[in-house]
């Protein structure tokens, strides 16, 4: 390894430095605002660094990492998400009793974990990334430690994540035993000898457990609703977007390297998981009265949809999945942004009662929420529609009919609860909400503007997807 | 000049946007200025454009302008693009010029109305849609205009929506024209399937190569397009909506239900003339539909008592003449009749509107009378219009156009003596009811005292229209009298010339017969309705005559027929199927989902032990699957 190989890792090094810088700032007792702004600038620096190293891509940093277009693409989406979540965090924590400063250390560490997942090509880096992500998340989820919900959610996540990590390690061990390599490409080389070995397949199967847990796929989904509800809203947004993007990215790379989709067994497992996720997620959400839980169930279903694009294992599927993740992240960020904005110190804005008649009181916020729900439901002119469309077309190319049929049917069922929330927004007799203006207006206004921009992006991508698609193709070509 | 083409439809559209978005904040004068002004400027541009067009015709025979790319799917390229050839030009001139006059008239006519802005907004939108219809260079855009005018017609018939009958009339118009529209869109689909394009010049060019004459495919397409035309132009058997459409304000009746929209069918057939020429059967059907319609509607017009319904039936009848002309292959004669008819029918409706306003919304002609002295301007202009309708020889525009059609009904390639006889009978009836209208409304004793008389803003458009009701005919004389054929010469750049049969008597014989029949019609009307006619009294006693009269009065009982044949069976089926069978499937899905929801919710019990069990069940499932496969 020489210093030239370090250059493509520059964005990730800066990302790691962000946590260190934050620690130093805390040591010098600087204010929340300073930390927030510095964090923001550091993230911008990461984006800039990614731009700076673009010409060196794709570059392998053996044996652990490979920085290629796909990694850059997913890292880009992750950094975009953390920029937005950071902004939400400010107004959220400024209003609460907990000292918010350490929060940013954890946030950046978790982001680093997710980013490492996108460039992993080795079980070791995969595990380190995943654990970095998980361990930071335990603390992040339980960050508001005086609230029972938060602590409970943190505990549940801790126990279950540890369990799934155990399975992950076990699976890795089995595969290593059979293939004699922990590097994805090394495993791929040994495939002809080992692919029929039951232990190898069992190893793959147990890895699925860990992936399924992180992506909250049925039957590993049970934690999702409790954790989504208990976490501080920005952390929920983090779990829903960044954590899942990172995990999906590493799954995608692993599948591409060892051609996972060639095993009918694995296809069968993923099909069953996808189908049951779509059905269970959508059905659980039907009568849910808590918006955060509802979004949790909805995200279970959405990752079921995403798996339909994963099943074919071809170019179109990867493209569709990338587009889906982008559209989905923007949508969820705007939805959780609205929840953050409406939450007060005492109450998370999570029960649907709070949203009754919101459109008459706060038309802009309610419209943004409605747009993001439309996008989740996949209504045309929003990004969610096109995302679903690309997934469908990728599935149709490979004729995976059963999951496709379930996708269509459950989308219809899903429409019910999204529209139910929108219906609530237009209802009459709402409680007048008391807005505390404790936060600096600059952050309030910028959060507002960010939300409007996000909603605008949903429309823009939904109507003119060309630019985004072109970008995705360009990135995916670099491998 | 060509680059300003887009302004002609764009100005009314802009007017519509301003009025519909900001109408409620504007003063009445401002609304009138925008509503009428936009159309007037369009009309001015059209006049300049036509002058340029006639002076130096474009080499391709048409002005074209591509505004933007609308969509392109699998070979179906649709642009928002305009194309004006001499056929479109005739329509554009009529739409903008008469439209402008009617808008000016409306300024005063609608003055007291609560929804002044809504009225002008809808009228402007109508003009825009109608212009798109005739200026479109592809059938998709034409269809957009076609549906647009249908929408505006619906909005304007139901303009006074608080009266229950009015919105019913609007619904009726919408539903019945929809039957035609559906046929038409199927025709367009077939056309695209066969020819692979909907760009009008290409369609016409490819049709001759693709279809042999009289092929089944082209006949089907032509008949479907004809059905579309029948719906919009209120031809048999889809004519029942037009008399009821008179529920709208009089300017609406004048513009939409007399001068322009109802002739969209005529435009469509003329535009697609190649398709129709390839199918002699469709041409024959067109001619027969026209001939039967003109006779049936004429009979109904004869016995109506509502002044606007008389004019409505007369409109159906006159469009029947146009269809007849198109059907026998006398293309330019059909379009020429459209041209003259637009002037005198708009005039009649506007004058009738003025009469109705002055007499406090009285529609019944037998409660009018004696208005000759009190409303001289209205009287004279109305008389000129009625004379044109009755085709009073040599002095009115109606004579020049109708005479041609009567002659071609026999002599043209698709002509037939029976068609001619029906057309002649129609001419007699038309003359009769025109005379009746004048005599009953303006002569005799005054039965309703007039309110305040129409202002100058209303009478000036009438005078202009009256002038054109006379003068519009002079640009096209019968060949054997005077060699002036400006109109047909121009139109025949687009439409084929009329082919004549051999071995018929001289044209002058037919003309004399037509003249005599019109005069007899006028005389019969005079003898029946001037003063107290003993014959009329005698008829009123006779039950046979009265039952025939009632039959005609109800529009040949078409409404009852459709009610019995279609409406009632349909309502019967809906009553049986009240709890829709196909709904069962959806309620079943909903119920199953809710049931599952309750089951699954149990799994979300918050207990960590249970969650761990979930994960273990998952891994057990995966391992089992591995062992099984």
């Amino acid at each position: 390894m020489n210093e030239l190989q370090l250059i493509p890792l520059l964005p990730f090094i800066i990302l790691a430095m962000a946590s260190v810088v934050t620690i130093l700032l805390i040591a010098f007792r600087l204010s929340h605002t300073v930390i927030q702004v510095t964090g923001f600038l550091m993230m911008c620096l990461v984006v800039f660094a990614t731009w700076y190293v673009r010409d060196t891509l794709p570059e392998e940093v053996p044996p652990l990492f490979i920085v290629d277009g796909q990694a850059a693409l997913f890292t880009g989406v992750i950094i975009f998400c953390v920029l937005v979540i950071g902004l939400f965090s400010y107004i959220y924590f400024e209003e609460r009793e907990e000292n918010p400063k350490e929060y940013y250390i954890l946030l950046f560490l978790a982001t680093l974990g997710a980013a490492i997942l996108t460039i992993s090509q080795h079980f070791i880096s995969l595990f380190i990334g995943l654990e970095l992500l998980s361990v930071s998340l335990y603390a992040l989820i339980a960050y508001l430690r005086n609230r029972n919900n938060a602590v409970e959610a943190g505990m549940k996540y801790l126990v279950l994540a540890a369990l799934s990590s155990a399975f992950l390690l076990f699976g890795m061990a089995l595969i290593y035993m059979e293939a004699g390599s922990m590097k994805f490409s090394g495993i791929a080389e040994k495939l002809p000898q080992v692919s029929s070995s039951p232990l190898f397949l069992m190893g793959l199967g147990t890895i699925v457990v860990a992936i399924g847990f992180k992506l909250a796929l049925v039957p590993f989904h049970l934690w999702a609703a409790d954790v989504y509800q208990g976490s501080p809203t920005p952390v929920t947004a983090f779990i829903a977007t960044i954590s899942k993007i990172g995990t999906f990215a590493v799954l995608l790379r692993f599948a591409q390297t060892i051609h996972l989709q060639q095993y009918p067994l694995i296809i069968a497992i993923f099909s069953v998981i996808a189908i049951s996720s779509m059905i269970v997620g959508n059905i659980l959400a039907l009568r849910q009265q808590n918006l955060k839980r509802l979004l949790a169930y909805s995200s279970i279903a959405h990752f079921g949809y995403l798996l339909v694009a994963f099943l074919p294992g071809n170019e179109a599927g990867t493209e569709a999945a990338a587009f889906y993740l982008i559209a989905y992240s923007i949508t969820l960020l705007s939805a959780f942004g609205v929840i953050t904005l409406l939450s007060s110190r005492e109450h998370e804005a999570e029960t649907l009662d709070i949203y009754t008649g919101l459109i008459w009181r706060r038309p802009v916020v309610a419209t943004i929420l409605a747009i993001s729900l439309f996008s989740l439901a996949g209504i045309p002119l929003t990004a969610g529609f096109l995302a679903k469309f690309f997934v469908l077309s990728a599935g149709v190319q490979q004729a995976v009919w059963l999951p496709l049929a379930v996708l269509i049917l459950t989308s219809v069922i899903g429409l019910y609860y999204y529209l139910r929330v929108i219906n609530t927004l237009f209802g009459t007799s709402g409680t007048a909400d008391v807005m505390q203006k404790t936060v600096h207006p600059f952050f309030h206004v910028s959060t507002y503007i960010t939300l409007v921009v996000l909603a605008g992006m949903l429309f823009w991508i939904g109507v003119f997807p060309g630019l985004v698609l072109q970008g995705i193709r360009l990135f995916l070509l670099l491998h | 000049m060509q680059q300003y083409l887009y302004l002609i439809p764009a100005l009314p559209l802009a007017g519509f946007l301003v009025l519909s978005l900001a109408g409620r904040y504007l003063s009445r004068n401002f609304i009138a200025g925008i509503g009428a002004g936009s159309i007037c400027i369009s009309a001015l541009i059209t006049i300049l454009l036509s002058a340029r067009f006639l002076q130096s015709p474009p080499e391709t025979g048409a002005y074209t302008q591509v505004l933007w790319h609308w969509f392109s799917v699998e070979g179906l390229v649709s642009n928002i693009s305009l194309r004006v050839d001499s056929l479109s030009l005739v329509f554009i001139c009529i739409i903008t010029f008469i439209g402008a006059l009617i808008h000016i008239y409306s300024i005063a006519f609608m003055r007291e109305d609560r929804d002044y802005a809504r009225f002008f907004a809808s009228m402007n939108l109508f003009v825009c849609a109608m212009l798109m219809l005739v200026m479109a260079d592809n059938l998709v855009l034409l269809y957009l205009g076609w549906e647009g005018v249908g929408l505006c017609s619906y909005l304007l018939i139901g303009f006074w929506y608080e009266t229950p009958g009015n919105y019913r009339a609007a619904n009726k118009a919408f539903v019945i024209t929809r039957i035609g529209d559906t046929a038409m869109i199927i025709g367009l689909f077939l056309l695209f399937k066969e020819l692979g394009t909907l760009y009008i010049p290409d369609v016409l060019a490819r049709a001759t190569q693709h279809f042999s004459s009289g092929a089944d495919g082209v006949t089907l397409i032509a008949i479907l397009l004809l059905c579309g035309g029948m719906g919009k132009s209120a031809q048999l058997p889809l004519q029942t909506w037009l008399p009821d459409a008179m529920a709208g304000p009089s300017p609406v009746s004048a513009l939409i239900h007399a001068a322009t929209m109802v002739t969209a069918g005529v435009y469509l057939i003329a535009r697609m003339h190649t398709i129709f020429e390839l199918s002699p059967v469709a041409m024959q059907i067109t001619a027969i539909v026209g001939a039967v319609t003109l006779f049936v509607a004429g009979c109904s017009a004869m016995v109506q008592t509502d002044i606007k319904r008389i004019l409505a039936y007369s409109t159906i009848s006159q469009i029947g003449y146009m269809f007849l002309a198109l059907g026998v292959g006398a293309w330019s004669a059909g379009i020429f009749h459209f041209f003259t008819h637009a002037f005198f029918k708009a005039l009649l409706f506007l004058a009738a509107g003025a009469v109705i306003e002055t007499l406090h919304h009285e529609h019944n002609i037998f409660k009018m009378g004696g208005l000759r002295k009190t409303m001289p301007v209205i009287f004279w202009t109305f008389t000129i219009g009625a004379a044109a309708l009755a085709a009073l020889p040599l002095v009115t525009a109606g004579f020049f156009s109708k005479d041609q059609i009567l002659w071609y009904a026999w002599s043209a390639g698709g002509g037939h003596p029976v068609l001619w006889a029906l057309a002649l009978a129609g001419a007699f009836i038309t003359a009769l009811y025109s005379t009746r209208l004048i005599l009953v409304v303006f002569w005799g004793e005054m039965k309703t005292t007039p309110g305040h008389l129409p202002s100058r803003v209303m009478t000036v458009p009438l005078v202009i229209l009256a002038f054109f009701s006379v003068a519009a005919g002079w640009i096209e004389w019968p060949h054997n009298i005077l060699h002036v054929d400006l109109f047909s010469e121009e139109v025949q750049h687009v439409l084929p010339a009329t082919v004549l049969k051999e071995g018929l008597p001289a044209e002058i014989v037919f003309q004399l017969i037509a003249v005599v029949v019109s005069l007899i019609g006028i005389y019969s009307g005079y003898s029946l309705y001037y003063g107290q006619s003993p014959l009329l009294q005698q008829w009123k006693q006779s039950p046979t005559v009265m039952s025939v009269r009632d039959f005609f009065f109800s529009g040949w009982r078409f409404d009852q027929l459709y009610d019995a044949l279609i409406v009632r069976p349909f309502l019967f089926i809906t009553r049986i199927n009240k709890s829709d069978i196909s709904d069962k499937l959806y309620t079943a899905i909903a119920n199953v989902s809710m049931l599952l929801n309750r089951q699954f919710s149990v799994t979300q019990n918050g207990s960590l032990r249970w969650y761990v069990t979930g994960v273990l069940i998952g891994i057990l499932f995966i391992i089992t699957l591995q062992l099984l496969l």
Side-chain angles (χ1 to χ4, degrees), chain A residues 156-225:
Chain A
K156 281 180 180 163
Y157 193 75
L158 169 68
V159 173
L160 292 170
L163 183 70
S164 76
S165 294
F167 277 113
L168 179 66
L169 280 176
F170 186 54
M172 286 174 178
L174 284 176
I175 290 175
Y176 180 63
M177 190 171 87
E178 289 296 306
S181 170
M182 294 243 222
K183 200 178 168 189
F184 298 170
S185 52
I187 300 168
E189 280 166 24
K190 286 283 165 60
L191 273 183
Q193 292 95 304
V194 301
S195 59
S196 54
S197 137
L199 285 180
F200 178 77
L201 286 176
M202 191 173 280
L204 286 182
T206 42
I207 288 181
V208 170
V209 176
I211 300 288
F213 171 79
K214 278 278 176 226
L215 296 180
L217 294 165
V218 176
F220 317 108
H221 67 287
L222 291 162
W223 60 274

Side-chain angles (χ1 to χ4, degrees), chain A residues 156 201 226 265 283 287, chain B residues 597-598 604 606 611 621 626:
Chain A
K156 281 180 180 163
L201 286 176
D226 292 356
L265 174 70
I283 289 206
R287 293 191 304 158
Chain B
N597 174 267
R598 272 179 218 112
Q604 294 287 336
Y611 290 2
F621 156 78
Q626 276 170 338

Side-chain angles (χ1 to χ4, degrees), chain A residues 84 115 140 142 199 259 329 420 470:
Chain A
V84 178
L140 280 175
L199 285 180
H259 304 291
S329 310
R420 187 165 56 87
Q470 221 177 345

Side-chain angles (χ1 to χ4, degrees), chain A residues 226-297:
Chain A
D226 292 356
V227 171
Y228 271 51
Q229 186 188 5
S231 317
T233 307
V235 177
T236 315
F238 188 96
I239 299 171
T241 55
I242 296 177
S243 152
K244 290 186 176 179
I245 295 169
T247 315
F248 190 79
V250 77
L251 172 67
L252 205 57
R253 184 179 304 286
F254 185 59
Q256 281 165 349
T257 320
I258 71 163
H259 304 291
L260 201 61
Q261 283 91 346
Q262 66 183 336
Y263 304 103
L265 174 70
I266 300 290
I267 288 286
I269 291 174
F270 273 107
S271 297
V272 172
I273 290 179
I275 290 171
S276 46
S277 299
M278 290 187 271
I279 294 176
V280 172
N282 277 316
I283 289 206
L284 275 174
L286 280 182
R287 293 191 304 158
Q288 187 49 253
Q289 289 300 320
N290 182 312
L291 192 58
K292 279 167 94 177
R293 288 183 82 92
L294 189 140
L295 288 172
Y297 294 137

Side-chain angles (χ1 to χ4, degrees), chain B residues 77-248:
Chain B
V77 182
S78 255
N79 291 329
I80 305 277
S81 52
L82 309 173
R83 186 170 188 280
V84 174
D85 57 13
S86 43
L87 175 63
S88 318
L89 197 67
V90 174
F91 276 83
I92 298 168
C93 287
I94 291 292
I95 295 164
T96 55
F97 184 69
I98 294 188
L101 290 177
I102 292 176
H103 274 75
I104 293 171
Y105 172 93
S106 311
I107 295 175
F109 187 85
M110 299 299 288
R111 196 71 189 178
E112 303 306 319
D113 202 275
R114 194 157 47 96
D115 289 318
Y116 204 51
R118 181 161 64 91
F119 177 80
F120 277 106
S122 312
M123 289 286 270
N124 279 4
L125 182 64
F126 167 77
V127 173
C128 170
M130 190 71 203
L131 286 168
M132 289 315 282
L133 199 168
V134 297
M135 292 172 91
D137 77 343
N138 62 73
L139 288 164
V140 182
L141 191 59
L142 185 147
Y143 193 74
L144 180 75
W146 186 273
E147 292 291 351
V149 294
L151 170 72
C152 296
S153 162
Y154 169 80
L155 293 175
L156 286 163
I157 294 171
F159 183 75
W160 289 315
Y161 55 87
E162 277 152 350
T163 317
N166 291 357
Y167 67 74
R168 250 179 247 134
N171 283 344
K172 187 176 177 186
F174 197 75
V175 171
I176 291 179
T177 48
R178 190 118 296 264
I179 298 171
D181 296 349
T182 311
M184 177 177 162
I185 193 91
I186 295 172
L188 295 187
F189 290 153
L190 284 177
L191 205 56
F192 180 70
K193 179 174 164 276
E194 294 285 340
L195 301 178
T197 177
L198 287 177
Y199 178 61
I200 291 170
D202 282 356
V203 167
L204 299 184
R206 283 188 207 172
T208 41
Q209 297 154 14
H210 187 83
F211 295 113
S212 56
S213 179
D216 284 348
V218 74
T219 302
L220 182 61
I221 292 171
I223 289 177
L224 285 168
L225 293 180
L226 174 65
C227 288
M230 289 191 313
K232 219 33 135 207
S233 295
Q235 296 294 293
L236 225 57
L238 300 177
Q239 87 287 23
T240 55
W241 65 271
L242 190 59
D244 290 348
M246 296 303 129

Side-chain angles (χ1 to χ4, degrees), chain A residues 370-409:
Chain A
I371 290 172
S372 62
L373 288 168
F374 275 130
S375 177
L376 281 174
I379 302 289
L381 293 187
T382 59
F385 166 73
L386 281 175
K388 212 175 257 179
F389 175 78
F390 290 133
V391 166
L392 272 174
S393 77
V396 167
Q397 278 177 28
Q398 288 292 311
V400 285
W401 297 119
L402 185 63
L404 284 178
V406 176
L407 192 162
I408 291 168
L409 186 70

